[in-house]
Amino acid sequence: MALDRSPTLNSLGFSKPPSETRVVVAMSGGVDSSVVAAMLSDEGYDVVGVTLQLYDHGAALAKKGACCAGIDIHDARRVAEEKGFPHYVLDYENIFQDAVIDEFADSYLAGATPVPCIRCNERVKFKDLLETAKDLDADCMATGHYIQRKMGEEGPELHSAADPTRDQSYFLFSTTPEQLDYLRFPLGHLPSKDDTRRLAAKYGLAVADKPDSQDICFVPNGDYASVIEKLRPGAAEPGEIVDSTGNVLGRHNGVIHYTIGQRRGLGIGGLSDPLYVVKLDVDNHRVVVGPKDMLSTRTIPVREINWLGDEPFASKDEWPVAVKVRSTRPPREAILRPLGPHTAEVELLTPEEGVSPGQACVFYETEGSRILGGGWIWRGVV
């Protein structure tokens, strides 16, 4: 009988002992990434913790308790000290400003509803930080994201987290196959966030009961307009609130104060039927309102597509998929029709309300948990 001499893989997928496997852990200072670092250190891996300083912590834009604020850097450093692995703080303020914050402001001013967390993952954490991890001779980089990396017949695949209430796949659709080969997500298989906190208590971490941070770290209290006004002084120009035929119903203090689908705070009371923001006409400084049925969308143009399927994206005229058009909404069945290497049209089988340019459209298998990619919704939504 022949002996099985195939190499035994460690928990991160390498055929060598954990002590010989270096892993850089992206540490935000929160409970999730702290647990990842402590767990891998406890398993004997050669852990290096890295925390990014993304903005001036004394500035008005910084939010107390937000990801990558001053207290979080302190918390990440304390975990590293307690567990005995090296920890570095990298100043990425300029990169974050150029790659994330400036585009956020400009997109918002253009009437879009941007998702800066996706750009941060794409342009900072999974790009510059990942290259830094390679410079440190790490075998891989691990994060505290709730998403799963599974090996398929053609290589690593991206799958939704086991806990659908914590799943972060919407924010990670732009992860490329090359990045996925290098990344690890040790928490994605956990049934719930409670399990993460129990692990934090097991490892004696002071952050075990620390509240979750907001996704958008540089937006205090979710007040997008105030952030835009700080970043682009004088950008908010007043204008008219009109219905779909151009009848003036009122005035506003700046398009940046409104989002697609908004009903409250329009300042046009006294009307018999409720009205919603259905379009932001930035060029003419107009907020267009209408009845709820005007928010219904069936066809979505998508660009900057990142494809994670096994077959080439343009190898088929159409793909049956499920799509998410907002992070808080469940996937809906759709037909994905490629128009080019990185552009497509998505036809929703059931119309969605409030689909907005600037949001992401993420593609999933119709059955199963695999993420097939995604792209950015742009003007022309119908």
Side-chain angles (χ1 to χ4, degrees):
M1 179 177 175
L3 295 176
D4 181 5
R5 299 186 181 278
S6 59
T8 301
L9 301 180
N10 61 33
S11 65
L12 293 178
F14 298 98
S15 56
K16 55 184 176 180
S19 61
E20 297 176 12
T21 305
R22 175 169 291 180
V23 51
V24 163
V25 178
M27 300 182 68
S28 68
V31 61
D32 300 324
S33 58
S34 295
V35 164
V36 168
M39 178 171 59
L40 294 177
S41 178
D42 192 65
E43 291 177 12
Y45 286 96
D46 179 11
V47 172
V48 178
V50 176
T51 301
L52 303 182
Q53 179 176 316
L54 297 181
Y55 50 81
D56 181 357
H57 308 301
L61 295 182
K63 177 183 176 182
K64 182 180 180 182
C67 168
C68 307
I71 186 65
D72 295 301
I73 292 175
H74 169 76
D75 287 342
R77 183 181 290 118
R78 181 167 57 171
V79 169
E81 289 174 350
E82 290 173 352
K83 294 301 173 183
F85 58 81
H87 175 257
Y88 301 97
V89 178
L90 305 181
D91 183 354
Y92 273 40
E93 285 187 30
N94 290 337
I95 293 173
F96 188 66
Q97 180 75 40
D98 295 341
V100 180
I101 295 181
D102 284 343
E103 184 188 85
F104 168 82
D106 294 338
S107 296
Y108 215 85
L109 288 173
T113 307
V115 191
C117 302
I118 297 175
R119 290 303 195 192
C120 182
N121 290 325
E122 173 188 321
R123 297 176 175 178
V124 181
K125 294 176 182 176
F126 291 176
K127 185 185 177 194
D128 292 278
L129 178 56
L130 191 145
E131 290 303 317
T132 296
K134 291 180 178 179
D135 290 341
L136 291 171
D137 294 326
D139 294 284
C140 64
M141 186 174 89
T143 80
H145 288 106
Y146 286 89
I147 196 166
Q148 298 187 79
R149 175 188 183 274
K150 298 182 179 181
M151 290 303 298
E153 294 182 0
E154 302 297 326
E157 299 174 352
L158 203 60
H159 287 256
S160 300
D163 178 3
T165 66
R166 305 297 303 180
D167 177 57
Q168 292 176 291
S169 58
Y170 183 84
F171 301 100
L172 297 169
F173 80 84
S174 60
T175 305
T176 66
E178 294 76 20
Q179 292 167 342
L180 188 57
D181 189 56
Y182 193 70
L183 290 163
R184 302 294 187 274
F185 309 106
L187 302 184
H189 69 287
L190 295 180
S192 73
K193 181 61 176 272
D194 291 340
D195 294 278
T196 304
R197 294 197 182 278
R198 279 192 283 271
L199 285 172
K202 170 188 173 181
Y203 297 123
L205 303 181
V207 296
D209 297 320
K210 186 174 180 178
D212 292 338
S213 61
Q214 277 200 332
D215 283 329
I216 302 180
C217 57
F218 60 91
V219 179
N221 305 315
D223 189 351
Y224 297 89
S226 67
V227 171
I228 300 301
E229 288 174 331
K230 288 186 177 73
L231 294 169
R232 302 289 188 268
E237 295 188 35
E240 298 171 335
I241 300 175
V242 302
D243 64 17
S244 59
T245 60
N247 295 317
V248 178
L249 304 178
R251 293 191 62 79
H252 63 78
N253 293 321
V255 172
I256 65 171
H257 296 282
Y258 299 85
T259 58
I260 302 295
Q262 180 178 334
R263 175 185 174 187
R264 299 182 183 279
L266 301 182
I268 50 173
L271 300 175
S272 58
D273 297 319
L275 294 177
Y276 300 79
V277 176
V278 298
K279 181 181 178 181
L280 298 175
D281 184 353
V282 176
D283 294 336
N284 296 304
H285 310 295
R286 280 184 161 188
V287 174
V288 183
V289 298
K292 191 174 184 179
D293 59 14
M294 289 189 67
L295 289 171
S296 183
T297 299
R298 182 179 289 276
T299 304
I300 305 173
V302 183
R303 61 184 178 183
E304 293 184 58
I305 289 174
N306 178 58
W307 182 247
L308 294 172
D310 293 334
E311 300 175 66
F313 179 57
S315 64
K316 294 184 179 181
D317 292 333
E318 56 183 44
W319 298 85
V321 295
V323 302
K324 269 190 179 187
V325 294
R326 293 211 177 189
S327 63
T328 55
R329 295 184 182 177
R332 301 292 179 87
E333 289 190 21
I335 302 298
L336 172 64
R337 297 187 177 92
L339 300 177
H342 304 289
T343 59
E345 178 183 88
V346 172
E347 180 185 349
L348 301 170
L349 300 192
T350 303
E352 281 268 10
E353 293 180 353
V355 178
S356 176
Q359 293 282 304
C361 182
V362 182
F363 318 141
Y364 299 81
E365 288 181 325
T366 53
E367 294 183 10
S369 60
R370 187 177 180 184
I371 295 96
L372 297 174
W376 296 93
I377 301 169
W378 61 300
R379 293 179 184 271
V381 173
V382 294

